[in-house]
Amino acid sequence: VLLGGRPLAAQRAVEAASTIRGQVLDPAGQPVVQARVVARDERDGRERTAAVDGEGRYVLRPLVAGRYTVRVR
């Protein structure tokens, strides 16, 4: 079965995968390079962690689509 030019299974995989990205900055606007970002799935409590890069940026992926609580450590 094709849906939007992709097999149905591939279409579902695209819809089910999500990404959270951002940047961690201090009050002066400087990157917090030693921070770790934790995303907790509100449905099942699973956590994913990412380290920030030299500019304070982070990417958490792949994530199951859903609601997450994000915090910085």
Side-chain angles (χ1 to χ4, degrees), residues 33-56:
V33 297
Q34 303 211 0
R36 297 196 66 76
V37 179
V38 179
R40 183 178 184 275
D41 187 328
E42 292 183 7
R43 184 182 45 132
D44 63 15
R46 290 185 182 182
E47 293 186 343
R48 295 288 302 262
T49 303
V52 300
D53 66 14
E55 295 183 13

Side-chain angles (χ1 to χ4, degrees), residues 2-69:
L2 288 179
L3 179 63
R6 293 187 180 136
L8 185 56
Q11 184 71 22
R12 285 185 183 148
V14 170
E15 292 172 0
S18 297
T19 300
I20 298 174
R21 68 180 73 228
Q23 189 174 26
V24 181
L25 303 173
D26 69 15
Q30 298 299 310
V32 181
V33 297
Q34 303 211 0
R36 297 196 66 76
V37 179
V38 179
R40 183 178 184 275
D41 187 328
E42 292 183 7
R43 184 182 45 132
D44 63 15
R46 290 185 182 182
E47 293 186 343
R48 295 288 302 262
T49 303
V52 300
D53 66 14
E55 295 183 13
R57 294 189 183 115
Y58 66 90
V59 178
L60 290 157
R61 70 173 171 232
L63 299 170
V64 175
R67 296 179 63 111
Y68 288 82
T69 300

